[in-house]
Amino acid sequence: MTNLPEGTLERLVEAARAVRLNAHAPYSSFHVGAAVLDEHGNVSVGCNMENGAYPLGTCAEAVALGSMVASGGRECRAIVIVGTGETLITPCGGCRQRIAELAVDGTDIYCVAEKGDETQRMSVEDVLPGGFRL
């Protein structure tokens, strides 16, 4: 069950799956896509970008949230994350904090398999209990 308007989750999943194909992942071949819904109903997307200096890679969630902010969005209302294969992935610790800082009460995080219909819905509190929020 989702608190999003009808068809919105499907639109976010489609956007995250599509942008995942653009990931720059020459080292791991693990492509991740993310789609964020902002307070205006706009969807911002991002994909992971690996770097030969491994700690300098950028997560799909960080790119999508940065795109949302660059486009004028200030509130993350929902985020969908799609990884490679049938395994559900969850945000890393840094992205959990990024999401928490931009999320509003009731923001849901959806982890979705690349193929099939498996989806895990979590709240910000689920992924970052006691997290720091402004």
Side-chain angles (χ1 to χ4, degrees), residues 11 26 33 37-38 65 83 86-87 95 99:
R11 185 169 57 124
L37 179 71
D38 72 14
L65 290 165
E86 296 180 17
T87 302
C95 286
I99 293 166

Side-chain angles (χ1 to χ4, degrees), residues 86-132:
E86 296 180 17
T87 302
L88 298 179
I89 61 167
T90 61
C92 72
C95 286
R96 291 171 189 232
Q97 182 61 41
R98 287 179 183 93
I99 293 166
E101 289 193 28
L102 293 168
V104 296
D105 290 341
T107 294
D108 285 321
I109 302 162
Y110 298 88
C111 302
V112 179
E114 172 192 3
K115 301 172 183 165
D117 295 329
E118 187 174 0
T119 300
Q120 180 180 1
R121 178 177 152 213
M122 299 173 288
S123 69
V124 174
E125 183 65 27
D126 290 335
V127 298
L128 193 64
F132 178 75

Side-chain angles (χ1 to χ4, degrees), residues 49-98:
M49 300 180 303
E50 293 179 349
N51 186 294
Y54 294 119
L56 299 180
T58 306
C59 298
E61 301 93 310
V63 174
L65 290 165
S67 178
M68 178 194 81
V69 170
S71 297
R74 294 291 176 253
E75 298 177 356
C76 174
R77 299 289 173 95
I79 184 166
V80 169
I81 304 149
V82 178
T84 299
E86 296 180 17
T87 302
L88 298 179
I89 61 167
T90 61
C92 72
C95 286
R96 291 171 189 232
Q97 182 61 41
R98 287 179 183 93

Side-chain angles (χ1 to χ4, degrees), residues 14-57:
E14 183 178 314
R17 283 181 172 156
V19 74
R20 186 190 70 75
L21 300 175
N22 297 332
H24 177 72
Y27 306 104
S28 71
S29 296
F30 194 81
H31 298 80
V32 180
V36 175
L37 179 71
D38 72 14
E39 72 273 22
H40 307 293
N42 297 321
V43 175
S44 299
V45 296
C47 56
N48 61 315
M49 300 180 303
E50 293 179 349
N51 186 294
Y54 294 119
L56 299 180

